[in-house]
Amino acid sequence: MCIRITKYLRYKMIQTVVKRDGRIVGFNEQKIMAAIRKAMIHTDKGEDERLVYKITDHVAQKGESQMTVEQIQDAVEMELMKSSRKDVAQKYIAYRNQRSIARKAKTRDVFLDIVNVKNNDVTRENANMNADTPAGMMMKFASETTKPFVDDYLLSEESRDAVEHNYLHIHDKDYYPTKSLTCVQHPLDHILNCGFIAGHGASRPARRIETASVLACISMECAQNEMHGGQAIPAFDFYLAPYVRMTYIEELKSLEELNGESYKELYEEPLIDYIKKPLDGLTGRERAQQHAINKTVGRVHQAMEAFIHNMNTIHSRGGNQVVFSSINYGTDTSAEGRCVMREILLSTYEGVGNGETAIFPIQIWKKKRGVNYLPGDRNFDLYQLACKVTARRFFPNFLNLDASFNQTDEWKDDDPERYLHEVATMGCRTRVFENRFGPKTSIGRGNLSFSTINIVKLAIECMEEKDEQKRIGMFFAKLDRMLELTAKQLDDRFQFQQTAYAKQFPLVMKSLWIGADKLGPNDTVKSVINQGTLGIGFIGLAECLVALTGKHHGESKESQELGLKIITYMRDRVNEFSERYHHNYSVLATPAEGLAGRFTKRDRKQFGVIPGVTDRDYYTNSNHVPVYYKCSARHKAEVEAPYHNLTRGGHIFYVEIDGDATHNPQVIMSVVDMMDQYDMGYGSVNHNRNRCMDCGYENAADHLETCPKCGSSNIDKLQRITGYLVGTTDRWNSGKLAELNDRVTHIDHGPKDLFDE
């Protein structure tokens, strides 16, 4: 028999096989033999080894040099039907049909969940998207059918295996075939000064604050349809400030027509501030100027109200999702810039609709010493207002421009364009600043794509090693292999993205991305996209450390030292990848939403329930101290702060407080003080906010069951999920709901020692 098999292997005609996913692999006769044996086992006569070899031999020798799986199975079926074992043929055919049905059933079940508006982790993957609407359902249908296509045709075998075995998550995989990029910081001045073409019509340059506000909305809405991530404006105050002055001049001109006088000398006269004041007792030009200021402030306020309203009602992506929008501001010290900031903050404080908290845009206050942080700074009053607004409405978050890693020598306090040298962030936490291929700036740049490593699974696989040093050594070896694989996977995606034509992204690759203005419609984006970043993320540092040491970094100094060693190692390897692949790689403290539960669920199925590791329905976001761990805000800051410098792809620090923060903005200022003290880059405060889903009424009561305004019992909580707010927890997946229920406050002490242990 051995001699015959050797002869058979030597003369077989089939050399390669085209699998169902398109991959070409070497022919393996053992798979034919195994399938025939499996069919024989289920018959009364049992196995016939001679017939197994005979049929395999016939199929192999009569076949073409390359055949598909289906063609080979058809040939086996034909040979069985010609043999004396018709009973085996029947079982083989039945088995093929069952496998085909099983493959279709998985897709069918997912589709039926979408059709029947099931509330599960597939339909609740993105809390900012309403998957129950027709447009949302179409989005999910497309998403769930595109992901397998990416697995089968676009990923390398190594990447596909890493995803399949729960080591790696490729974010926005459903957008992979579109070649789209993740996010961009809009150079809004270009849009406002030049206008742009959106759809079938052109938008003219702005001439007044109302138009500027609308164009800012349209810019983000249009770009959202061309990208799979968020949209941000990096210097909202600087960009809109000129249109405050234009509006003011327009009001003066109206007075000229009314009064028959000329006020041209007031057009460019510097103003200390735009503050509404009564006109009583004012005469002549002084009265005219104050009247123009009052009218201008009113129009700016209405424009900011409209901006917020539009960002919460204008839908993109086929009509199922409002724009994932962010605005950065805080450092423009001109009277006009201050007016923009004051009115956006006041409008936010007032709320939208019936007074409810606006979900978007995510607002980010850029904190800077000498500008807006200390008493005596020009914008300190606006910083105080920002803290007051945050205490009621969650936003703005706070971006620390004074952090050591957020500074640049190019920034000068007397430079009217200093915003070019200020870091800006995307609301969820994405940070883009350093650049190997152009200016160190956030403007006109963004993240290209990112993938997240399941460092918890790597640690679990090392737990059987009793010697701690060997265990940790094993972990780093596994981590190194995954970092190599992830860097290659991101480069593969980059190579695919760069083949896109500029005309595929008519706004982003014409008016927004740095260097894109030099591209023609039929040029590829290859020459410009390397200005962006590729992010290597991680999730579950806390659970990883428990698996390796028995404790997480919030409860053990030794674990904290190991945690910093792990992320430092990632940072160092990422720098090496940047040199090797010639990209802007960075480490990202992943803002996991659907992923937080998905990794955990699959690891628990494989390894069982491991206390402190897989015993909850989620893994802790990135390097955060677990949400259920009781500690002071200061301790949390001390633990998490060192990771900010290591995770320059993005990070965030949160403090959970209880009760009504509306009348206690000092708590918010204390958190910002900690960010300043511990060299943290970005952070904010979470607090309790109830919302009546029928009338929009909000308050901060501990247990609100009935709305005091309309009597409804349809009460939900307004909460932050990964950096942005969600107006209803109905759209949260099971993992994030479990995390929400586990959250504890970090302030359990009296007002004098809020941040002490």
Side-chain angles (χ1 to χ4, degrees):
M1 185 69 72
C2 293
I3 295 174
R4 205 196 64 77
I5 293 176
T6 303
K7 179 181 178 181
Y8 154 69
L9 290 172
R10 183 179 300 167
Y11 294 106
K12 68 180 181 180
M13 291 184 64
I14 303 176
Q15 300 296 322
T16 56
V17 179
V18 181
K19 296 177 70 66
R20 290 185 180 86
D21 59 14
R23 285 179 291 156
I24 298 175
V25 299
F27 174 62
N28 183 357
E29 75 285 345
Q30 294 297 328
K31 291 190 175 182
I32 295 178
M33 295 179 180
I36 298 173
R37 289 191 186 103
K38 188 175 292 186
M40 287 179 169
I41 290 172
H42 291 88
T43 64
D44 294 336
K45 295 181 180 179
E47 293 186 52
D48 183 340
E49 197 68 11
R50 183 194 62 80
L51 184 60
V52 170
Y53 280 104
K54 180 180 179 181
I55 291 176
T56 303
D57 202 2
H58 284 183
V59 170
Q61 291 191 37
K62 291 180 180 179
E64 302 294 332
S65 62
Q66 185 176 92
M67 297 180 69
T68 66
V69 170
E70 292 291 342
Q71 288 173 330
I72 293 174
Q73 289 182 343
D74 287 343
V76 172
E77 190 175 308
M78 186 69 67
E79 292 294 330
L80 283 170
M81 289 297 292
K82 290 190 298 184
S83 74
S84 60
R85 295 292 301 271
K86 302 293 189 298
D87 56 335
V88 178
Q90 292 173 349
K91 294 295 183 181
Y92 184 83
I93 293 169
Y95 177 71
R96 283 187 69 187
N97 290 336
Q98 290 171 0
R99 293 283 294 171
S100 177
I101 292 170
R103 281 191 293 270
K104 294 177 181 178
K106 184 177 180 180
T107 301
R108 180 202 63 191
D109 291 345
V110 171
F111 275 24
L112 284 176
D113 284 349
I114 298 170
V115 169
N116 295 320
V117 197
K118 290 289 184 67
N119 191 346
N120 58 34
D121 289 350
V122 171
T123 60
R124 298 296 178 261
E125 188 175 30
N126 183 347
N128 186 37
M129 187 180 82
N130 187 353
D132 299 341
T133 65
M137 292 167 71
M138 282 299 300
M139 189 86 167
K140 291 306 298 179
F141 286 137
S143 175
E144 294 307 315
T145 52
T146 302
K147 290 174 184 177
F149 171 79
V150 175
D151 291 337
D152 294 343
Y153 297 102
L154 298 180
L155 297 184
S156 69
E157 187 170 356
E158 292 78 13
S159 297
R160 182 169 52 250
D161 287 345
V163 172
E164 182 180 349
H165 292 96
N166 213 38
Y167 293 106
L168 183 69
H169 177 75
I170 299 173
H171 292 265
D172 301 293
K173 190 168 68 173
D174 46 349
Y175 277 87
Y176 198 130
T178 71
K179 305 180 184 179
S180 67
L181 313 182
T182 302
C183 56
V184 66
Q185 293 278 354
H186 290 226
L188 191 62
D189 53 343
H190 180 73
I191 297 292
L192 298 179
N193 293 333
C194 305
F196 66 98
I197 297 176
H200 300 289
S203 297
R204 293 189 296 271
R207 291 290 180 267
R208 54 180 62 88
I209 191 63
E210 294 90 348
T211 309
S213 167
V214 170
L215 287 179
C217 294
I218 295 174
S219 176
M220 289 200 281
E221 179 200 13
C222 292
Q224 185 77 89
N225 288 317
E226 299 177 16
M227 308 188 81
H228 55 257
Q231 309 302 316
I233 297 174
F236 190 73
D237 44 355
F238 281 94
Y239 290 147
L240 266 62
Y243 303 95
V244 176
R245 175 62 69 159
M246 291 181 190
T247 303
Y248 167 68
I249 293 172
E250 191 174 66
E251 290 296 336
L252 287 172
K253 289 180 177 179
S254 295
L255 287 173
E256 288 177 338
E257 291 184 13
L258 180 65
N259 298 338
E261 296 186 41
S262 174
Y263 301 119
K264 286 186 177 179
E265 73 276 12
L266 298 178
Y267 289 0
E268 303 301 331
E269 179 181 298
L271 295 174
I272 296 175
D273 221 335
Y274 286 78
I275 302 293
K276 274 189 175 183
K277 295 179 181 178
L279 301 179
D280 300 346
L282 301 179
T283 59
R285 278 170 169 68
E286 187 180 5
R287 183 180 179 88
Q289 184 178 59
Q290 187 59 53
H291 178 77
I293 290 173
N294 290 351
K295 295 288 286 184
T296 299
V297 171
R299 289 174 62 181
V300 172
H301 188 82
Q302 288 182 326
M304 295 303 100
E305 280 186 329
F307 178 79
I308 295 173
H309 181 270
N310 287 338
M311 296 320 302
N312 286 276
T313 55
I314 294 177
H315 285 69
S316 62
R317 291 181 178 168
N320 75 86
Q321 186 176 8
V322 293
V323 182
F324 192 101
S325 57
S326 307
I327 57 174
N328 296 255
Y329 57 82
T331 58
D332 187 349
T333 53
S334 71
E336 290 76 19
R338 285 170 52 79
C339 183
V340 170
M341 287 183 272
R342 184 183 296 111
E343 300 312 319
I344 193 76
L345 286 167
L346 291 174
S347 297
T348 304
Y349 190 83
E350 292 167 4
V352 295
N354 294 314
E356 59 262 31
T357 298
I359 305 302
F360 288 108
I362 301 171
Q363 298 182 41
I364 301 147
W365 177 268
K366 297 195 287 188
K367 166 255 178 189
K368 181 70 177 175
R369 286 173 173 269
V371 177
N372 58 28
Y373 176 58
L374 301 174
D377 289 349
R378 166 73 165 150
N379 287 355
F380 180 72
D381 59 327
L382 296 178
Y383 167 58
Q384 291 178 303
L385 177 59
C387 292
K388 177 181 178 181
V389 175
T390 298
R392 184 178 187 184
R393 301 297 189 184
F394 293 88
F395 295 141
N397 298 342
F398 295 89
L399 176 61
N400 185 12
L401 297 186
D402 295 312
S404 58
F405 46 87
N406 283 341
Q407 299 182 33
T408 173
D409 293 338
E410 300 297 320
W411 191 91
K412 308 295 181 185
D413 59 3
D414 58 351
D415 180 2
E417 293 187 331
R418 56 188 175 275
Y419 60 87
L420 293 170
H421 311 295
E422 294 174 355
V423 66
T425 191
M426 201 67 59
C428 60
R429 73 188 64 186
T430 305
R431 175 187 179 275
V432 175
F433 197 36
E434 293 79 17
N435 188 5
R436 294 168 180 263
F437 309 102
K440 184 177 181 179
T441 185
S442 296
I443 298 172
R445 303 174 60 219
N447 179 256
L448 304 176
S449 62
F450 63 101
S451 298
T452 293
I453 298 173
N454 183 359
I455 61 174
V456 185
K457 180 171 184 177
L458 301 181
I460 293 173
E461 291 179 337
C462 302
M463 289 181 69
E464 290 186 1
E465 173 56 58
K466 301 303 180 184
D467 184 283
E468 184 171 298
Q469 291 305 311
K470 290 182 180 179
R471 183 164 63 246
I472 293 172
M474 288 174 58
F475 170 80
F476 274 98
K478 289 175 176 289
L479 176 62
D480 191 73
R481 287 194 293 271
M482 278 307 305
L483 287 168
E484 287 279 354
L485 186 150
T486 306
K488 181 62 169 63
Q489 179 268 308
L490 287 168
D491 178 65
D492 288 344
R493 188 169 185 174
F494 175 91
Q495 300 303 329
F496 185 66
Q497 288 172 313
Q498 72 173 0
T499 64
Y501 295 108
K503 63 184 178 183
Q504 293 179 252
F505 312 104
L507 178 60
V508 173
M509 287 301 160
K510 185 174 183 180
S511 301
L512 300 183
W513 199 265
I514 189 169
D517 56 324
K518 300 178 179 65
L519 298 178
N522 293 313
D523 292 334
T524 69
V525 301
K526 179 179 179 179
S527 63
V528 301
I529 67 168
N530 218 19
Q531 302 276 352
T533 62
L534 296 170
I536 297 182
F538 64 95
I539 188 173
L541 179 63
E543 290 80 8
C544 169
L545 292 171
V546 171
L548 293 174
T549 70
K551 294 183 178 180
H552 61 70
H553 51 324
E555 58 187 346
S556 163
K557 289 183 179 180
E558 291 74 19
S559 294
Q560 167 73 337
E561 290 174 1
L562 178 58
L564 290 172
K565 183 179 179 182
I566 290 170
I567 308 306
T568 298
Y569 185 80
M570 291 184 67
R571 189 273 315 273
D572 292 344
R573 290 307 321 273
V574 158
N575 289 341
E576 293 174 17
F577 299 145
S578 296
E579 294 292 337
R580 184 194 309 173
Y581 291 101
H582 303 290
H583 299 316
N584 287 310
Y585 281 101
S586 58
V587 179
L588 172 69
T590 295
E593 186 181 330
L595 180 60
R598 188 182 304 122
F599 268 167
T600 316
K601 187 178 297 183
R602 295 181 63 186
D603 284 348
R604 185 191 298 140
K605 183 177 181 180
Q606 180 178 357
F607 300 106
V609 176
I610 304 172
V613 183
T614 62
D615 55 347
R616 297 178 187 268
D617 291 335
Y618 57 90
Y619 285 151
T620 300
N621 259 356
S622 59
N623 52 254
H624 294 182
V625 171
V627 297
Y628 54 82
Y629 183 66
K630 294 183 178 181
C631 65
S632 71
R634 184 168 299 281
H635 178 71
K636 189 173 190 290
E638 289 172 342
V639 173
E640 294 183 13
Y643 295 96
H644 282 212
N645 190 19
L646 300 171
T647 54
R648 297 196 183 187
H651 44 248
I652 197 165
F653 168 70
Y654 286 131
V655 170
E656 296 278 344
I657 64 175
D658 58 2
D660 190 351
T662 304
H663 306 295
N664 193 9
Q666 185 59 45
V667 173
I668 311 299
M669 298 182 79
S670 297
V671 173
V672 180
D673 287 344
M674 281 197 299
M675 291 174 59
D676 182 78
Q677 178 183 353
Y678 291 106
D679 202 35
M680 286 188 281
Y682 183 47
S684 196
V685 176
N686 288 336
H687 47 85
N688 187 50
R689 197 82 186 159
N690 302 301
R691 169 179 283 183
C692 174
M693 303 307 294
D694 292 331
C695 74
Y697 174 82
E698 292 180 9
N699 72 12
D702 287 339
H703 302 287
L704 183 66
E705 297 182 357
T706 303
C707 175
K709 183 178 179 181
C710 72
S712 171
S713 58
N714 187 15
I715 307 296
D716 206 340
K717 287 187 178 296
L718 184 68
Q719 279 290 349
R720 206 184 307 259
I721 189 165
T722 60
Y724 59 91
L725 293 178
V726 180
T728 171
T729 57
D730 284 347
R731 298 182 190 173
W732 289 40
N733 60 67
S734 59
K736 295 307 287 187
L737 278 173
E739 185 211 81
L740 174 63
N741 292 330
D742 284 351
R743 291 179 185 177
V744 297
T745 61
H746 301 112
I747 299 173
D748 298 321
H749 310 285
K752 291 185 179 181
D753 58 347
L754 286 175
F755 302 99
D756 295 330
E757 286 284 17

